[in-house]
Amino acid sequence: MRISFSKLELPVKGAFVVGAYEGKKLAATAQKLDRRTRGALTRAMAASRFTGKAKQTLSILAPSGVRLNRIVILGLGKDPGSAKGKDNAVDEEAVLVRLEALGGALYADLARSGESDVTVALDIEGPEAAHCAVHVAFGARLRSYRFDKYKTKQKPEDRPTLARLTVLVDDFATARKLWPTHERYAESIEFTRDLVSEPGNIIFPKSLAEQCKKLGEVGVAVEVLGIKEMTKLGMGALLGVGQGSAQESQLVVMQWKGADAKTKPIAFVGKGVTFDTGGISIKPAQNMEDMKWDMGGSGTVIGLMRQLAQRKARVNAVGIVGLVENMPSATAQRPGDIVKTMSGQTVEVINTDAEGRLVLADALWYCQDRFKPQFMIDLATLTGAIIISLGHEHAGLFSNDDELADRLIASGKATGETVWRMPLGEAYDKAIDSDAADMKNVGNRAGGSITAAQFIQRFVNKLPWAHLDIAGMAWSSKDKPTVPKGATAFGVRLLDRLVAKYYEAS
Ligand code: BES
Ligand code: MN
Ligand code: ZN
């Protein structure tokens, strides 16, 4: 889909999307169009259940008085100009999230309508009008993502028809200037979505490491460690998880140096289990295919590093991903095995399906040992239990640092990728004490996401740290306004925003 910005005038072909606020109140361009069509919009609203609620759409086909194929009235929600709207005033960023949702909604409504040209005029006013227009387009672009490379027999009627989207705004010159950075941002998000969507026979540790190397093109320094290097470093926990696989485990270190060399880096660490069968503690067959996206945390770290580099963020950032395949085989680790981590601490592997924390233990230790970062944030599809706790609405946030946690919560609200803070504490930590080793890799069923976080915290050495359990967020079984069902790339926007708002040099 080609996206462009243009000056406010009535288009002469295709579909024209105009806005209406709650209470069927037509926005300025919609009013003009209503007069042109001798009240077609007003009549259509009266004859339907359309109220103007955000993201509602109402189509009028082949309207008379204009050469358009159709007019679509898009609900804008509460009128910010009205007193009622002001009561519900939300902060500026949440406004952008809402505009993106409108863009996504109009894309979904028109993508397969038969229309190839769509023009939008929502009459959003004020000094930020161009920025608002860009976010409507950005939302449409994010919603238009499809992973269909393996569909060789797609029927033409299943393909989108929408080819060109034009957003009209008085200050279209500013919008045109802002758009390329947003387009490249969308490409970073789509890169993550592609990696997470790929099946386990295509994305395995070495092939995912190859994808990381592509970041060299935008200026990221990429190093890949294999079994030999990790053995030397003593990464017995990570290597234990991968030892049952025919695919060699990898640890990838990505560095973006956008600030001066003396500035301590910030660090992001991702769980990259390219397929999680559970190992000898094997998972049931039902839905096991979902475990192709058990590398979602690493997918997000990779897309984030690409994004920080391509927008030349004024920050030093390190991204580390631990890439393993968790398989049952003659060489697989056994329940009861005791492994030694890079930190020197030993772990009794009670359940080989609690593998993500073993990978993170060594990846996090390596990260702080080598880079002494300002903070570390890890992302992992770590526990089914976090889905029981929070559903698919928020990622679980665990942190030893209130400032970092609060910043993550605020960044979540600003981007729509929300997180919910969960507790940590000694009482939970006790649950993973082992009789045979320094700790075991599972507690009992109680507080499963929290004991997993406690395990990870044992590998954080007095440094601000946050853990995001994204098991409920990395994949969506439903279409969302700006995220079609499938891989979500959850965390790329959250963390790009965190960096931009709090950690970039001025
Ligand atoms: N990758 C899974 C967690 C998961 C489950 C992610 C469902 C997404 C959807 C993880 O490795 C795992 O198997 N966790 C176990 C831990 C248990 C053995 C303590 C779980 O959550 O059941
Ligand atoms: Mn597992
Ligand atoms: Zn897993």
Side-chain angles (χ1 to χ4, degrees), residues 271 276 278 283 294 326 352-355:
K271 167 179 172 180
D276 181 13
K283 287 182 180 295
D294 208 19
N326 189 20
T352 64
D353 196 13
E355 84 296 342

mmCIF file of all heavy atoms in Angstrom, residues 271 276 278 283 294 326 352-355, ligand 2:
data_model
loop_
_atom_site.group_PDB
_atom_site.id
_atom_site.type_symbol
_atom_site.label_atom_id
_atom_site.label_comp_id
_atom_site.label_asym_id
_atom_site.label_seq_id
_atom_site.Cartn_x
_atom_site.Cartn_y
_atom_site.Cartn_z
ATOM 1 N N LYS A 271 14.715 -13.839 25.151
ATOM 2 C CA LYS A 271 14.617 -15.299 25.082
ATOM 3 C C LYS A 271 14.364 -15.695 23.639
ATOM 4 O O LYS A 271 13.406 -15.238 23.018
ATOM 5 C CB LYS A 271 13.466 -15.797 25.967
ATOM 6 C CG LYS A 271 13.060 -17.261 25.726
ATOM 7 C CD LYS A 271 11.935 -17.742 26.640
ATOM 8 C CE LYS A 271 11.436 -19.135 26.246
ATOM 9 N NZ LYS A 271 10.344 -19.635 27.112
ATOM 10 N N ASP A 276 10.004 -24.740 21.194
ATOM 11 C CA ASP A 276 9.974 -25.295 22.549
ATOM 12 C C ASP A 276 9.040 -26.494 22.601
ATOM 13 O O ASP A 276 7.831 -26.345 22.741
ATOM 14 C CB ASP A 276 9.515 -24.206 23.536
ATOM 15 C CG ASP A 276 9.482 -24.719 24.972
ATOM 16 O OD1 ASP A 276 10.046 -25.809 25.231
ATOM 17 O OD2 ASP A 276 8.902 -24.014 25.826
ATOM 18 N N GLY A 278 9.332 -28.547 24.974
ATOM 19 C CA GLY A 278 9.347 -28.897 26.389
ATOM 20 C C GLY A 278 10.553 -29.769 26.728
ATOM 21 O O GLY A 278 10.910 -29.929 27.876
ATOM 22 N N LYS A 283 5.788 -31.319 26.084
ATOM 23 C CA LYS A 283 4.484 -30.659 26.104
ATOM 24 C C LYS A 283 3.437 -31.554 25.431
ATOM 25 O O LYS A 283 3.772 -32.350 24.561
ATOM 26 C CB LYS A 283 4.558 -29.341 25.313
ATOM 27 C CG LYS A 283 5.324 -28.228 25.993
ATOM 28 C CD LYS A 283 5.292 -26.958 25.138
ATOM 29 C CE LYS A 283 6.058 -25.830 25.799
ATOM 30 N NZ LYS A 283 5.473 -25.366 27.058
ATOM 31 N N ASP A 294 8.172 -19.010 20.474
ATOM 32 C CA ASP A 294 8.837 -18.915 21.780
ATOM 33 C C ASP A 294 10.158 -18.137 21.690
ATOM 34 O O ASP A 294 10.886 -18.018 22.664
ATOM 35 C CB ASP A 294 9.062 -20.323 22.349
ATOM 36 C CG ASP A 294 9.088 -20.328 23.865
ATOM 37 O OD1 ASP A 294 8.593 -19.364 24.479
ATOM 38 O OD2 ASP A 294 9.622 -21.307 24.426
ATOM 39 N N ASN A 326 14.641 -26.305 21.982
ATOM 40 C CA ASN A 326 14.435 -27.217 23.117
ATOM 41 C C ASN A 326 13.781 -28.508 22.621
ATOM 42 O O ASN A 326 12.580 -28.543 22.365
ATOM 43 C CB ASN A 326 13.539 -26.516 24.155
ATOM 44 C CG ASN A 326 13.438 -27.293 25.464
ATOM 45 O OD1 ASN A 326 14.284 -28.142 25.769
ATOM 46 N ND2 ASN A 326 12.405 -27.002 26.247
ATOM 47 N N THR A 352 12.375 -29.768 32.277
ATOM 48 C CA THR A 352 13.123 -29.268 31.104
ATOM 49 C C THR A 352 12.285 -28.293 30.279
ATOM 50 O O THR A 352 12.804 -27.654 29.361
ATOM 51 C CB THR A 352 13.592 -30.416 30.183
ATOM 52 O OG1 THR A 352 12.445 -31.079 29.632
ATOM 53 C CG2 THR A 352 14.455 -31.416 30.933
ATOM 54 N N ASP A 353 10.991 -28.182 30.600
ATOM 55 C CA ASP A 353 10.126 -27.228 29.900
ATOM 56 C C ASP A 353 10.244 -25.817 30.492
ATOM 57 O O ASP A 353 9.775 -24.852 29.902
ATOM 58 C CB ASP A 353 8.674 -27.715 29.949
ATOM 59 C CG ASP A 353 7.782 -27.012 28.944
ATOM 60 O OD1 ASP A 353 8.319 -26.334 28.046
ATOM 61 O OD2 ASP A 353 6.556 -27.159 29.058
ATOM 62 N N ALA A 354 10.885 -25.694 31.644
ATOM 63 C CA ALA A 354 11.138 -24.349 32.191
ATOM 64 C C ALA A 354 12.529 -23.931 31.707
ATOM 65 O O ALA A 354 13.470 -23.747 32.486
ATOM 66 C CB ALA A 354 11.053 -24.373 33.713
ATOM 67 N N GLU A 355 12.645 -23.809 30.377
ATOM 68 C CA GLU A 355 13.952 -23.627 29.743
ATOM 69 C C GLU A 355 14.319 -22.167 29.511
ATOM 70 O O GLU A 355 15.503 -21.819 29.456
ATOM 71 C CB GLU A 355 13.994 -24.395 28.405
ATOM 72 C CG GLU A 355 13.402 -23.665 27.190
ATOM 73 C CD GLU A 355 11.921 -23.373 27.293
ATOM 74 O OE1 GLU A 355 11.245 -24.013 28.121
ATOM 75 O OE2 GLU A 355 11.430 -22.479 26.574
HETATM 76 MN MN MN B 2 9.079 -24.429 27.939
#
